[in-house]
Short mmCIF file of all heavy atoms in Angstrom, two decimals:
data_model
loop_
_atom_site.label_atom_id
_atom_site.label_comp_id
_atom_site.label_asym_id
_atom_site.label_seq_id
_atom_site.Cartn_x
_atom_site.Cartn_y
_atom_site.Cartn_z
N MET A 177 31.96 57.83 15.14
CA MET A 177 31.26 56.78 14.37
C MET A 177 32.28 55.90 13.64
O MET A 177 33.31 56.38 13.22
CB MET A 177 30.30 57.39 13.36
CG MET A 177 29.11 58.11 13.98
SD MET A 177 28.04 57.03 14.92
CE MET A 177 27.02 56.35 13.62
N LEU A 178 31.95 54.67 13.47
CA LEU A 178 32.82 53.78 12.72
C LEU A 178 32.59 53.95 11.23
O LEU A 178 31.48 53.79 10.75
CB LEU A 178 32.55 52.33 13.11
CG LEU A 178 32.92 51.96 14.56
CD1 LEU A 178 32.34 50.61 14.92
CD2 LEU A 178 34.42 51.92 14.71
N LYS A 179 33.65 54.27 10.54
CA LYS A 179 33.52 54.53 9.09
C LYS A 179 33.15 53.29 8.30
O LYS A 179 32.46 53.38 7.31
CB LYS A 179 34.85 55.08 8.56
CG LYS A 179 34.95 56.58 8.64
CD LYS A 179 36.21 57.02 7.92
CE LYS A 179 36.60 58.44 8.35
NZ LYS A 179 38.00 58.71 8.08
N ASN A 180 33.66 52.16 8.75
CA ASN A 180 33.49 50.96 7.93
C ASN A 180 32.17 50.23 8.17
O ASN A 180 31.87 49.27 7.48
CB ASN A 180 34.65 49.99 8.16
CG ASN A 180 35.95 50.59 7.63
OD1 ASN A 180 35.93 51.35 6.68
ND2 ASN A 180 37.06 50.24 8.24
N MET A 181 31.42 50.70 9.14
CA MET A 181 30.14 50.06 9.39
C MET A 181 29.14 50.44 8.31
O MET A 181 29.02 51.61 7.97
CB MET A 181 29.60 50.51 10.75
CG MET A 181 29.50 49.37 11.74
SD MET A 181 28.86 49.96 13.32
CE MET A 181 27.12 50.00 12.95
N ILE A 182 28.42 49.46 7.81
CA ILE A 182 27.39 49.82 6.85
C ILE A 182 26.13 50.21 7.60
O ILE A 182 25.87 49.72 8.70
CB ILE A 182 27.13 48.71 5.80
CG1 ILE A 182 26.64 47.42 6.46
CG2 ILE A 182 28.37 48.46 4.97
CD1 ILE A 182 26.16 46.42 5.44
N SER A 183 25.39 51.09 7.04
CA SER A 183 24.21 51.61 7.71
C SER A 183 23.09 50.57 7.69
O SER A 183 23.11 49.65 6.89
CB SER A 183 23.75 52.87 7.01
OG SER A 183 23.20 52.53 5.75
N PRO A 184 22.10 50.72 8.56
CA PRO A 184 20.98 49.77 8.57
C PRO A 184 20.27 49.67 7.22
O PRO A 184 19.88 48.58 6.81
CB PRO A 184 20.04 50.34 9.64
CG PRO A 184 20.95 51.09 10.56
CD PRO A 184 22.02 51.66 9.68
N ILE A 185 20.16 50.79 6.53
CA ILE A 185 19.47 50.73 5.23
C ILE A 185 20.31 49.95 4.22
O ILE A 185 19.77 49.17 3.43
CB ILE A 185 19.12 52.15 4.70
CG1 ILE A 185 18.28 52.09 3.44
CG2 ILE A 185 20.34 53.01 4.45
CD1 ILE A 185 16.83 51.83 3.68
N GLN A 186 21.63 50.11 4.28
CA GLN A 186 22.50 49.34 3.38
C GLN A 186 22.45 47.85 3.73
O GLN A 186 22.42 47.01 2.84
CB GLN A 186 23.93 49.84 3.48
CG GLN A 186 24.11 51.21 2.83
CD GLN A 186 25.54 51.70 2.91
OE1 GLN A 186 26.23 51.49 3.90
NE2 GLN A 186 26.00 52.35 1.86
N ALA A 187 22.43 47.54 5.01
CA ALA A 187 22.34 46.15 5.43
C ALA A 187 21.03 45.54 4.95
O ALA A 187 20.99 44.39 4.51
CB ALA A 187 22.45 46.06 6.96
N TRP A 188 19.97 46.33 5.02
CA TRP A 188 18.68 45.83 4.56
C TRP A 188 18.70 45.60 3.05
O TRP A 188 18.25 44.55 2.57
CB TRP A 188 17.57 46.83 4.92
CG TRP A 188 16.23 46.38 4.44
CD1 TRP A 188 15.42 45.47 5.03
CD2 TRP A 188 15.57 46.79 3.23
NE1 TRP A 188 14.29 45.29 4.26
CE2 TRP A 188 14.35 46.09 3.17
CE3 TRP A 188 15.90 47.70 2.21
CZ2 TRP A 188 13.47 46.25 2.11
CZ3 TRP A 188 15.02 47.86 1.16
CH2 TRP A 188 13.81 47.14 1.12
N LEU A 189 19.24 46.56 2.31
CA LEU A 189 19.30 46.42 0.85
C LEU A 189 20.06 45.17 0.45
O LEU A 189 19.61 44.40 -0.40
CB LEU A 189 19.97 47.66 0.23
CG LEU A 189 19.08 48.88 0.09
CD1 LEU A 189 19.93 50.12 -0.20
CD2 LEU A 189 18.05 48.69 -1.02
N ILE A 190 21.22 44.98 1.06
CA ILE A 190 22.05 43.84 0.65
C ILE A 190 21.38 42.53 1.06
O ILE A 190 21.49 41.53 0.35
CB ILE A 190 23.49 44.01 1.20
CG1 ILE A 190 24.46 43.29 0.28
CG2 ILE A 190 23.62 43.57 2.64
CD1 ILE A 190 25.89 43.68 0.49
N SER A 191 20.63 42.54 2.15
CA SER A 191 19.91 41.31 2.54
C SER A 191 18.79 41.00 1.56
O SER A 191 18.33 39.87 1.47
CB SER A 191 19.36 41.45 3.96
OG SER A 191 18.24 42.30 3.98
N GLN A 192 18.34 42.01 0.84
CA GLN A 192 17.32 41.81 -0.20
C GLN A 192 17.95 41.50 -1.55
O GLN A 192 17.24 41.44 -2.56
CB GLN A 192 16.47 43.09 -0.35
CG GLN A 192 15.80 43.56 0.92
CD GLN A 192 14.79 42.56 1.43
OE1 GLN A 192 13.86 42.20 0.73
NE2 GLN A 192 14.98 42.10 2.65
N GLY A 193 19.29 41.37 -1.60
CA GLY A 193 19.97 41.14 -2.86
C GLY A 193 20.02 42.37 -3.75
O GLY A 193 20.04 42.26 -4.96
N ARG A 194 20.03 43.53 -3.12
CA ARG A 194 20.06 44.78 -3.88
C ARG A 194 21.33 45.56 -3.60
O ARG A 194 21.91 45.46 -2.53
CB ARG A 194 18.86 45.65 -3.52
CG ARG A 194 17.56 45.10 -4.05
CD ARG A 194 16.37 45.78 -3.46
NE ARG A 194 15.14 45.24 -4.00
CZ ARG A 194 14.53 45.76 -5.09
NH1 ARG A 194 15.01 46.81 -5.68
NH2 ARG A 194 13.45 45.19 -5.55
N CYS A 195 21.71 46.35 -4.58
CA CYS A 195 22.90 47.19 -4.46
C CYS A 195 22.69 48.22 -3.35
O CYS A 195 21.64 48.85 -3.28
CB CYS A 195 23.16 47.87 -5.79
SG CYS A 195 24.53 49.03 -5.73
N VAL A 196 23.73 48.42 -2.53
CA VAL A 196 23.61 49.40 -1.45
C VAL A 196 23.68 50.83 -1.97
O VAL A 196 23.33 51.77 -1.26
CB VAL A 196 24.72 49.21 -0.38
CG1 VAL A 196 24.59 47.85 0.26
CG2 VAL A 196 26.10 49.41 -0.97
N GLY A 197 24.15 50.99 -3.20
CA GLY A 197 24.29 52.34 -3.73
C GLY A 197 23.06 52.80 -4.49
O GLY A 197 22.53 53.88 -4.27
N CYS A 198 22.58 51.95 -5.41
CA CYS A 198 21.49 52.37 -6.29
C CYS A 198 20.21 51.58 -6.04
O CYS A 198 19.16 51.91 -6.58
CB CYS A 198 21.91 52.26 -7.75
SG CYS A 198 22.31 50.60 -8.27
N GLY A 199 20.28 50.52 -5.22
CA GLY A 199 19.07 49.78 -4.87
C GLY A 199 18.57 48.82 -5.92
O GLY A 199 17.50 48.23 -5.77
N LYS A 200 19.32 48.65 -7.00
CA LYS A 200 18.87 47.74 -8.06
C LYS A 200 19.16 46.28 -7.72
O LYS A 200 20.13 46.00 -7.02
CB LYS A 200 19.54 48.12 -9.39
CG LYS A 200 19.00 49.44 -9.90
CD LYS A 200 19.63 49.83 -11.21
CE LYS A 200 19.04 51.16 -11.65
NZ LYS A 200 19.88 51.85 -12.63
N PRO A 201 18.32 45.37 -8.23
CA PRO A 201 18.54 43.95 -7.92
C PRO A 201 19.84 43.43 -8.52
O PRO A 201 20.08 43.59 -9.71
CB PRO A 201 17.34 43.25 -8.57
CG PRO A 201 16.37 44.33 -8.90
CD PRO A 201 17.14 45.59 -9.06
N LEU A 202 20.64 42.80 -7.70
CA LEU A 202 21.95 42.34 -8.16
C LEU A 202 21.87 41.10 -9.02
O LEU A 202 22.81 40.79 -9.75
CB LEU A 202 22.86 42.09 -6.95
CG LEU A 202 23.26 43.38 -6.21
CD1 LEU A 202 23.93 43.03 -4.90
CD2 LEU A 202 24.18 44.23 -7.06
N ASP A 203 20.76 40.38 -8.98
CA ASP A 203 20.69 39.19 -9.83
C ASP A 203 20.52 39.55 -11.31
O ASP A 203 20.62 38.69 -12.17
CB ASP A 203 19.59 38.23 -9.37
CG ASP A 203 18.21 38.88 -9.35
OD1 ASP A 203 18.09 40.06 -9.73
OD2 ASP A 203 17.25 38.19 -8.97
N LYS A 204 20.30 40.83 -11.58
CA LYS A 204 20.21 41.29 -12.98
C LYS A 204 21.56 41.76 -13.52
O LYS A 204 21.69 42.08 -14.68
CB LYS A 204 19.23 42.46 -13.09
CG LYS A 204 17.84 42.17 -12.59
CD LYS A 204 16.94 41.67 -13.72
CE LYS A 204 15.48 41.76 -13.36
NZ LYS A 204 15.15 40.89 -12.17
N MET A 205 22.55 41.86 -12.61
CA MET A 205 23.84 42.41 -13.01
C MET A 205 24.77 41.31 -13.49
O MET A 205 24.60 40.14 -13.18
CB MET A 205 24.48 43.15 -11.83
CG MET A 205 23.62 44.25 -11.26
SD MET A 205 23.14 45.48 -12.49
CE MET A 205 21.89 46.40 -11.58
N LYS A 206 25.80 41.74 -14.22
CA LYS A 206 26.73 40.73 -14.73
C LYS A 206 27.58 40.18 -13.60
O LYS A 206 27.96 40.90 -12.67
CB LYS A 206 27.61 41.32 -15.83
CG LYS A 206 28.53 42.41 -15.38
CD LYS A 206 29.46 42.82 -16.51
CE LYS A 206 30.41 43.92 -15.99
NZ LYS A 206 31.33 44.39 -17.01
N SER A 207 27.87 38.89 -13.69
CA SER A 207 28.64 38.26 -12.63
C SER A 207 29.67 37.34 -13.24
O SER A 207 29.56 36.92 -14.39
CB SER A 207 27.72 37.47 -11.70
OG SER A 207 27.07 36.46 -12.42
N GLU A 208 30.67 37.01 -12.48
CA GLU A 208 31.69 36.06 -12.93
C GLU A 208 32.01 35.11 -11.78
O GLU A 208 31.91 35.49 -10.61
CB GLU A 208 32.94 36.80 -13.39
CG GLU A 208 33.56 37.70 -12.34
CD GLU A 208 34.75 38.49 -12.89
OE1 GLU A 208 35.79 37.86 -13.10
OE2 GLU A 208 34.62 39.70 -13.11
N ALA A 209 32.36 33.90 -12.14
CA ALA A 209 32.71 32.91 -11.12
C ALA A 209 33.90 33.40 -10.33
O ALA A 209 34.84 33.99 -10.87
CB ALA A 209 33.03 31.58 -11.78
N TRP A 210 33.86 33.17 -9.06
CA TRP A 210 34.89 33.66 -8.17
C TRP A 210 35.32 32.51 -7.28
O TRP A 210 34.78 31.39 -7.40
CB TRP A 210 34.33 34.85 -7.39
CG TRP A 210 35.31 35.68 -6.61
CD1 TRP A 210 35.25 35.94 -5.28
CD2 TRP A 210 36.44 36.40 -7.10
NE1 TRP A 210 36.30 36.76 -4.92
CE2 TRP A 210 37.03 37.05 -6.01
CE3 TRP A 210 37.02 36.52 -8.37
CZ2 TRP A 210 38.18 37.83 -6.14
CZ3 TRP A 210 38.17 37.29 -8.50
CH2 TRP A 210 38.73 37.94 -7.40
N LYS A 211 36.24 32.73 -6.39
CA LYS A 211 36.79 31.62 -5.63
C LYS A 211 35.82 31.11 -4.55
O LYS A 211 34.91 31.82 -4.14
CB LYS A 211 38.10 32.07 -4.97
CG LYS A 211 37.91 33.25 -4.05
CD LYS A 211 39.24 33.86 -3.67
CE LYS A 211 39.00 35.14 -2.87
NZ LYS A 211 40.24 35.85 -2.61
N ASN A 212 36.07 29.88 -4.09
CA ASN A 212 35.34 29.30 -2.95
C ASN A 212 33.83 29.32 -3.12
O ASN A 212 33.09 29.71 -2.21
CB ASN A 212 35.72 30.00 -1.64
CG ASN A 212 37.20 29.87 -1.33
OD1 ASN A 212 37.82 28.90 -1.75
ND2 ASN A 212 37.76 30.84 -0.66
N ASP A 213 33.38 28.92 -4.31
CA ASP A 213 31.95 28.80 -4.52
C ASP A 213 31.20 30.12 -4.36
O ASP A 213 30.10 30.21 -3.85
CB ASP A 213 31.35 27.76 -3.55
CG ASP A 213 30.29 26.92 -4.25
OD1 ASP A 213 30.01 27.20 -5.43
OD2 ASP A 213 29.75 26.01 -3.61
N THR A 214 31.85 31.17 -4.83
CA THR A 214 31.19 32.47 -4.82
C THR A 214 31.22 33.04 -6.23
O THR A 214 31.92 32.52 -7.11
CB THR A 214 31.90 33.47 -3.88
OG1 THR A 214 33.22 33.66 -4.35
CG2 THR A 214 31.89 32.98 -2.44
N LYS A 215 30.46 34.06 -6.46
CA LYS A 215 30.61 34.80 -7.70
C LYS A 215 30.71 36.29 -7.41
O LYS A 215 30.19 36.79 -6.41
CB LYS A 215 29.48 34.49 -8.68
CG LYS A 215 28.11 34.84 -8.20
CD LYS A 215 27.08 34.43 -9.24
CE LYS A 215 25.68 34.77 -8.74
NZ LYS A 215 24.66 34.42 -9.75
N LYS A 216 31.41 36.94 -8.30
CA LYS A 216 31.63 38.37 -8.15
C LYS A 216 30.62 39.08 -9.02
O LYS A 216 30.49 38.79 -10.21
CB LYS A 216 33.05 38.70 -8.59
CG LYS A 216 33.52 40.07 -8.19
CD LYS A 216 35.04 40.13 -8.15
CE LYS A 216 35.59 40.59 -9.48
NZ LYS A 216 37.04 40.91 -9.41
N VAL A 217 29.87 39.98 -8.45
CA VAL A 217 28.81 40.68 -9.17
C VAL A 217 29.16 42.16 -9.24
O VAL A 217 29.44 42.78 -8.22
CB VAL A 217 27.46 40.50 -8.46
CG1 VAL A 217 26.34 41.18 -9.23
CG2 VAL A 217 27.15 39.02 -8.27
N THR A 218 29.14 42.69 -10.45
CA THR A 218 29.43 44.11 -10.62
C THR A 218 28.14 44.83 -10.95
O THR A 218 27.52 44.58 -11.98
CB THR A 218 30.46 44.33 -11.74
OG1 THR A 218 31.60 43.53 -11.48
CG2 THR A 218 30.86 45.80 -11.82
N CYS A 219 27.73 45.72 -10.10
CA CYS A 219 26.53 46.51 -10.35
C CYS A 219 26.82 47.53 -11.44
O CYS A 219 27.96 47.93 -11.65
CB CYS A 219 26.09 47.21 -9.07
SG CYS A 219 24.58 48.15 -9.29
N GLU A 220 25.75 47.99 -12.11
CA GLU A 220 25.97 48.98 -13.17
C GLU A 220 26.44 50.32 -12.63
O GLU A 220 26.96 51.14 -13.38
CB GLU A 220 24.71 49.14 -14.01
CG GLU A 220 23.49 49.57 -13.22
CD GLU A 220 22.24 49.61 -14.10
OE1 GLU A 220 22.15 48.81 -15.02
OE2 GLU A 220 21.37 50.46 -13.82
N CYS A 221 26.31 50.54 -11.33
CA CYS A 221 26.84 51.78 -10.75
C CYS A 221 28.30 51.64 -10.36
O CYS A 221 28.90 52.60 -9.89
CB CYS A 221 26.00 52.21 -9.55
SG CYS A 221 26.21 51.18 -8.10
N GLY A 222 28.87 50.44 -10.54
CA GLY A 222 30.30 50.25 -10.32
C GLY A 222 30.66 49.58 -9.01
O GLY A 222 31.80 49.24 -8.79
N ARG A 223 29.69 49.41 -8.13
CA ARG A 223 29.98 48.73 -6.87
C ARG A 223 30.11 47.24 -7.10
O ARG A 223 29.41 46.68 -7.95
CB ARG A 223 28.90 49.02 -5.84
CG ARG A 223 28.97 50.43 -5.29
CD ARG A 223 27.83 50.71 -4.35
NE ARG A 223 27.93 52.04 -3.75
CZ ARG A 223 27.61 53.17 -4.40
NH1 ARG A 223 27.16 53.14 -5.63
NH2 ARG A 223 27.75 54.34 -3.81
N ILE A 224 30.97 46.61 -6.34
CA ILE A 224 31.25 45.19 -6.54
C ILE A 224 30.85 44.41 -5.30
O ILE A 224 31.13 44.82 -4.17
CB ILE A 224 32.74 44.97 -6.89
CG1 ILE A 224 33.05 45.70 -8.20
CG2 ILE A 224 33.04 43.48 -7.02
CD1 ILE A 224 34.51 45.75 -8.54
N PHE A 225 30.17 43.30 -5.53
CA PHE A 225 29.67 42.46 -4.45
C PHE A 225 30.14 41.04 -4.67
O PHE A 225 30.46 40.64 -5.79
CB PHE A 225 28.14 42.49 -4.41
CG PHE A 225 27.60 43.87 -4.17
CD1 PHE A 225 27.39 44.73 -5.23
CD2 PHE A 225 27.34 44.31 -2.89
CE1 PHE A 225 26.93 46.02 -5.01
CE2 PHE A 225 26.88 45.59 -2.66
CZ PHE A 225 26.66 46.45 -3.73
N VAL A 226 30.15 40.26 -3.61
CA VAL A 226 30.45 38.84 -3.69
C VAL A 226 29.22 38.07 -3.24
O VAL A 226 28.65 38.34 -2.17
CB VAL A 226 31.67 38.48 -2.82
CG1 VAL A 226 31.88 36.97 -2.80
CG2 VAL A 226 32.92 39.18 -3.35
N TYR A 227 28.78 37.15 -4.08
CA TYR A 227 27.62 36.32 -3.78
C TYR A 227 28.07 34.92 -3.44
O TYR A 227 28.82 34.30 -4.19
CB TYR A 227 26.69 36.29 -4.98
CG TYR A 227 25.45 35.45 -4.78
CD1 TYR A 227 24.40 35.92 -4.00
CD2 TYR A 227 25.33 34.20 -5.38
CE1 TYR A 227 23.26 35.16 -3.81
CE2 TYR A 227 24.18 33.43 -5.21
CZ TYR A 227 23.16 33.91 -4.43
OH TYR A 227 22.02 33.16 -4.25
N ASN A 228 27.63 34.42 -2.31
CA ASN A 228 28.00 33.08 -1.90
C ASN A 228 26.93 32.10 -2.38
O ASN A 228 25.77 32.20 -1.98
CB ASN A 228 28.14 33.04 -0.37
CG ASN A 228 28.70 31.71 0.11
OD1 ASN A 228 28.21 30.65 -0.27
ND2 ASN A 228 29.73 31.77 0.93
N ASN A 229 27.33 31.17 -3.24
CA ASN A 229 26.38 30.23 -3.81
C ASN A 229 25.77 29.27 -2.78
O ASN A 229 24.70 28.74 -2.99
CB ASN A 229 27.05 29.40 -4.91
CG ASN A 229 27.46 30.26 -6.08
OD1 ASN A 229 26.71 31.11 -6.54
ND2 ASN A 229 28.67 30.03 -6.58
N LYS A 230 26.48 29.05 -1.69
CA LYS A 230 25.99 28.13 -0.67
C LYS A 230 25.03 28.81 0.29
O LYS A 230 23.95 28.32 0.57
CB LYS A 230 27.17 27.55 0.12
CG LYS A 230 27.92 26.47 -0.63
CD LYS A 230 29.06 25.93 0.23
CE LYS A 230 29.92 24.96 -0.57
NZ LYS A 230 31.26 24.83 0.02
N THR A 231 25.44 29.94 0.82
CA THR A 231 24.60 30.62 1.81
C THR A 231 23.58 31.55 1.15
O THR A 231 22.67 32.04 1.81
CB THR A 231 25.46 31.44 2.79
OG1 THR A 231 26.22 32.38 2.04
CG2 THR A 231 26.41 30.54 3.55
N LYS A 232 23.78 31.81 -0.15
CA LYS A 232 22.88 32.66 -0.93
C LYS A 232 22.75 34.06 -0.36
O LYS A 232 21.68 34.64 -0.32
CB LYS A 232 21.48 32.02 -1.05
CG LYS A 232 21.50 30.56 -1.49
CD LYS A 232 20.55 30.33 -2.63
CE LYS A 232 20.46 28.87 -3.06
NZ LYS A 232 21.77 28.42 -3.61
N VAL A 233 23.88 34.58 0.08
CA VAL A 233 23.88 35.96 0.55
C VAL A 233 24.94 36.77 -0.19
O VAL A 233 25.97 36.25 -0.63
CB VAL A 233 24.13 36.07 2.08
CG1 VAL A 233 22.96 35.49 2.86
CG2 VAL A 233 25.43 35.42 2.47
N TYR A 234 24.64 38.04 -0.31
CA TYR A 234 25.59 38.98 -0.89
C TYR A 234 26.33 39.71 0.21
O TYR A 234 25.81 39.90 1.31
CB TYR A 234 24.84 40.05 -1.70
CG TYR A 234 24.25 39.57 -3.00
CD1 TYR A 234 22.93 39.13 -3.05
CD2 TYR A 234 25.00 39.59 -4.15
CE1 TYR A 234 22.37 38.71 -4.24
CE2 TYR A 234 24.45 39.17 -5.36
CZ TYR A 234 23.14 38.73 -5.40
OH TYR A 234 22.60 38.32 -6.57
N ARG A 235 27.53 40.13 -0.12
CA ARG A 235 28.23 41.07 0.75
C ARG A 235 29.06 41.98 -0.13
O ARG A 235 29.31 41.68 -1.29
CB ARG A 235 29.13 40.33 1.75
CG ARG A 235 30.22 39.49 1.11
CD ARG A 235 31.17 38.95 2.17
NE ARG A 235 32.17 38.05 1.59
CZ ARG A 235 33.26 38.46 0.92
NH1 ARG A 235 33.49 39.74 0.75
NH2 ARG A 235 34.11 37.58 0.43
N ARG A 236 29.49 43.10 0.43
CA ARG A 236 30.36 43.98 -0.32
C ARG A 236 31.69 43.28 -0.54
O ARG A 236 32.18 42.57 0.35
CB ARG A 236 30.63 45.28 0.46
CG ARG A 236 29.44 46.19 0.60
CD ARG A 236 29.00 46.80 -0.71
NE ARG A 236 30.01 47.59 -1.37
CZ ARG A 236 30.22 48.90 -1.16
NH1 ARG A 236 29.52 49.54 -0.29
NH2 ARG A 236 31.15 49.56 -1.83
N ALA A 237 32.28 43.47 -1.71
CA ALA A 237 33.60 42.93 -1.95
C ALA A 237 34.62 43.70 -1.12
O ALA A 237 34.50 44.91 -0.95
CB ALA A 237 33.94 43.04 -3.43
N LEU A 238 35.62 42.98 -0.61
CA LEU A 238 36.68 43.64 0.13
C LEU A 238 37.63 44.31 -0.85
O LEU A 238 37.67 43.97 -2.03
CB LEU A 238 37.44 42.61 0.97
CG LEU A 238 36.57 41.81 1.94
CD1 LEU A 238 37.40 40.73 2.62
CD2 LEU A 238 35.92 42.72 2.96
N LEU A 239 38.40 45.26 -0.34
CA LEU A 239 39.27 46.04 -1.22
C LEU A 239 40.25 45.16 -2.00
O LEU A 239 40.53 45.43 -3.16
CB LEU A 239 40.07 47.05 -0.41
CG LEU A 239 39.34 48.36 -0.08
CD1 LEU A 239 40.24 49.25 0.75
CD2 LEU A 239 38.91 49.08 -1.35
N ASP A 240 40.75 44.10 -1.37
CA ASP A 240 41.73 43.27 -2.08
C ASP A 240 41.06 42.27 -3.01
O ASP A 240 41.75 41.46 -3.63
CB ASP A 240 42.65 42.56 -1.09
CG ASP A 240 41.91 41.61 -0.16
OD1 ASP A 240 40.68 41.56 -0.24
OD2 ASP A 240 42.57 40.93 0.63
N GLU A 241 39.76 42.31 -3.13
CA GLU A 241 39.07 41.39 -4.04
C GLU A 241 38.65 42.07 -5.34
O GLU A 241 38.23 41.42 -6.27
CB GLU A 241 37.81 40.83 -3.36
CG GLU A 241 38.13 39.94 -2.18
CD GLU A 241 36.87 39.54 -1.42
OE1 GLU A 241 35.92 40.34 -1.38
OE2 GLU A 241 36.86 38.44 -0.86
N VAL A 242 38.72 43.38 -5.37
CA VAL A 242 38.22 44.09 -6.55
C VAL A 242 39.29 44.34 -7.59
O VAL A 242 40.46 44.15 -7.31
CB VAL A 242 37.52 45.41 -6.18
CG1 VAL A 242 36.36 45.14 -5.26
CG2 VAL A 242 38.47 46.38 -5.56
ZN1 LIG B 278 24.39 49.84 -7.87
#
């Protein structure tokens, strides 16, 4: 199995704007402006996501972004 692949349930959660770890809505979490018209969102469980203001989608932050 590929370790870096996110599971279908995680993909679904993130498409709903929810944390893949705890399932809470990420629009309630603290965020900070980030590069290229994105913002960095830190969930209360510690996971970090990047939100794209243009495409309005979340993704997991890459290791070099955290
Ligand atoms: Zn979380």
